[in-house]
Amino acid sequence: MSTLNMPTTLPEIGVRASKAAPVIVATDGRTQSDGALVLGGILAEAAESIRVVTVLKTMPIIPDAPLPVSTDLEAARRAEVLRDVKAQIARTWDASPDVEIETGDPATIIAKIAHEAGATMIVSGLGRHRVSDRVFGDETALRLIRLADVPVFAAGAGLNHAPRRIVIAIDFSETSLRAARLAIELAAPGATIYLAHVAPRDGTSHDWKGWGTAYKNDAGAALQKVREQLRVPSDMTTQKILLQGDAATELLAFASSVNADLIASGSHGYGFVARMLIGSVTTRIVRCATCSVLSVPHAAAMTRARITAAPPVATPVPASDWSKALDEFTRRNSGRRGTLEVDDPEIGAQAQEFDYPLLGATFDSHDQRVELMFGDDGAARRHLSRGIGNVKSIDILRDDAGHDLAIRIAHGSGQTLLTFAA
């Protein structure tokens, strides 16, 4: 097997990891997580600052099976994964760190270890994110980003150096600033940093500012302020990038156009509803990116320089007002384009409809069902609808100006999220 050991371009500043605040390198021993080991080796100034963790999934319990899973079988599984991880370390590192083996759900266990260790970061492989991975819950990197309260670096295939071309999604929130600072710490000397802001598609169908000169000027000035706050090392090149449209689509396209090594972004976490909004943008970036992805959750955004902005507010709607509230929601948001995502504990979050204008939302009190309707204007109209039964609660997420950002409908053991593109 060929080795990945090679001279690497080290980060300009470096992530400040230590035994008391280590970097957690999560691996399953497969080649799709080689990048995580490579980055761990780049960041490891001292062996004790890195913890290599692998998690064996719990063996499924088969009904009416003649015998339970034997201790010999468990021991064999542990020995096999230990052998695989050590072989992976040998082909990616010069060091020989200890390997911690746990059993359970990988994302849950790794997030817990990182939390208890006060970790600086979790590094994992980005993975392939096939359709079967979504169905069977194997999108470990994406689930880590959802669960962890520390930054998660999902290393892309072929990573063998610190990032040289970094696209940072800037929405002027505290988390995007933290993501920017961390990405710069990870950057190679002489790196190019793209501070990218994605503006709304247009403002014709709702009462928001459109993509006009005033918006461009305001966003450009705000990006310049962010640039000054970041204090980027003098040998790095920084470019301000203004994009327009759907955030995930535009960021992915731009990253591809500049052959980026890394896309960095922050995720919001003001309460349960807002935390789940990671499904609409970050999910698509993680699933579709051809480079590494860095995500910083709100809980990890411990920055000194804060941009003053009120957090979004999730407003529970009393059951008695569901019909009226959805009528008003329709009036405020008719024509706005959004992503409809179903989040199920068994299969994770999956986008059902993307970039369709909202036509309306109604509640049928007789059947206790919510109907969401989408469609295009014009002669060739597309129409989609989704009926949601067994509704348990409805929450509407608004920003500090009172604009709707999303609606969450809890049903059964899952939920449906409609998040607007702008």
Side-chain angles (χ1 to χ4, degrees):
M1 183 176 293
S2 62
T3 179
L4 293 179
N5 283 319
M6 61 188 70
T8 58
T9 304
L10 297 177
E12 173 81 8
I13 302 174
V15 174
R16 296 167 180 83
S18 64
K19 186 175 182 180
V23 169
I24 307 297
V25 178
T27 179
D28 56 8
R30 294 187 291 175
T31 55
Q32 68 178 25
S33 58
D34 278 358
L37 270 292
V38 172
L39 184 66
I42 292 173
L43 300 177
E45 294 182 0
E48 62 269 17
S49 66
I50 300 291
R51 290 176 60 179
V52 179
V53 179
T54 188
V55 181
L56 281 171
K57 289 186 178 179
T58 305
M59 292 284 287
I61 298 175
I62 303 173
D64 302 322
L67 292 172
V69 177
S70 69
T71 55
D72 289 344
L73 177 57
E74 281 297 309
R77 292 177 69 218
R78 293 175 70 88
E80 181 180 9
V81 73
L82 180 60
R83 183 173 62 250
D84 290 344
V85 173
K86 285 189 173 182
Q88 184 181 45
I89 291 172
R91 68 176 183 264
T92 56
W93 283 10
D94 292 323
S96 299
D98 293 334
V99 179
E100 303 174 33
I101 303 178
E102 303 288 343
T103 302
D105 173 67
T108 302
I109 296 294
I110 293 164
K112 181 181 179 183
I113 289 173
H115 173 79
E116 293 176 348
T120 301
M121 181 192 304
I122 297 170
V123 182
S124 74
L126 182 58
R128 288 170 289 180
H129 297 285
R130 303 162 299 185
V131 172
S132 60
D133 294 330
R134 302 181 194 181
V135 173
F136 293 103
D138 287 338
E139 294 182 292
T140 301
L142 184 57
R143 295 191 63 238
L144 268 175
I145 290 171
R146 288 181 177 276
L147 295 174
D149 57 4
V150 302
V152 176
F153 188 110
L159 182 148
N160 56 32
H161 55 77
R164 299 179 181 132
R165 291 173 297 278
I166 302 174
V167 176
I168 302 173
I170 299 293
D171 62 4
F172 311 115
S173 67
E174 183 178 342
T175 50
S176 66
L177 280 176
R178 179 68 178 91
R181 289 190 175 93
L182 183 55
I184 291 168
E185 289 189 8
L186 292 166
T192 300
I193 310 295
Y194 301 95
L195 303 177
H197 173 68
V198 184
R201 180 188 304 275
D202 58 54
T204 59
S205 60
H206 50 86
D207 188 23
W208 280 35
K209 289 184 179 179
W211 180 247
T213 302
Y215 190 102
K216 290 181 181 179
N217 291 341
D218 290 346
L223 280 177
Q224 180 60 35
K225 181 179 179 181
V226 169
R227 182 178 181 177
E228 294 167 356
Q229 288 179 330
L230 291 176
R231 297 183 178 87
V232 179
S234 58
D235 70 325
M236 294 185 186
T237 301
T238 308
Q239 296 186 28
K240 299 179 297 180
I241 305 297
L242 288 174
L243 304 170
Q244 179 191 10
D246 170 71
T249 300
E250 296 301 323
L251 289 167
L252 287 165
F254 179 75
S256 178
S257 72
V258 299
N259 196 25
D261 301 313
L262 176 66
I263 301 174
S265 67
S267 60
H268 300 284
Y270 304 104
F272 180 71
V273 179
R275 183 174 177 81
M276 291 310 299
L277 294 185
I278 193 173
S280 62
V281 177
T282 305
T283 294
R284 290 181 57 224
I285 291 176
V286 171
R287 284 176 174 167
C288 301
T290 56
C291 62
S292 301
V293 177
L294 171 66
S295 179
V296 175
H298 181 261
M302 303 300 291
T303 60
R304 289 188 297 272
R306 299 168 183 261
I307 288 182
T308 302
V313 176
T315 305
V317 179
S320 59
D321 294 340
W322 284 353
S323 181
K324 179 182 177 182
L326 290 181
D327 288 344
E328 293 176 349
F329 181 82
T330 297
R331 177 180 54 78
R332 293 192 303 269
N333 299 292
S334 179
R336 294 184 66 186
R337 295 176 181 270
T339 296
L340 187 69
E341 184 175 15
V342 178
D343 191 74
D344 187 290
E346 298 298 322
I347 62 174
Q350 298 189 53
Q352 302 292 309
E353 280 94 33
F354 169 69
D355 205 32
Y356 272 65
L358 176 69
L359 290 178
T362 63
F363 175 68
D364 185 332
S365 57
H366 181 267
D367 293 330
Q368 295 292 296
R369 291 176 62 85
V370 169
E371 292 287 338
L372 298 176
M373 296 156 284
F374 305 86
D376 290 325
D377 294 327
R381 294 174 63 94
R382 299 177 296 171
H383 290 281
L384 294 171
S385 63
R386 176 170 178 81
I388 305 169
N390 193 21
V391 177
K392 294 185 175 180
S393 65
I394 297 176
D395 304 278
I396 298 174
L397 186 71
R398 298 187 177 95
D399 64 13
D400 57 325
H403 299 127
D404 295 331
L405 300 176
I407 186 169
R408 168 186 177 263
I409 302 163
H411 48 86
S413 60
Q415 62 183 341
T416 294
L417 292 166
L418 170 59
T419 61
F420 292 114

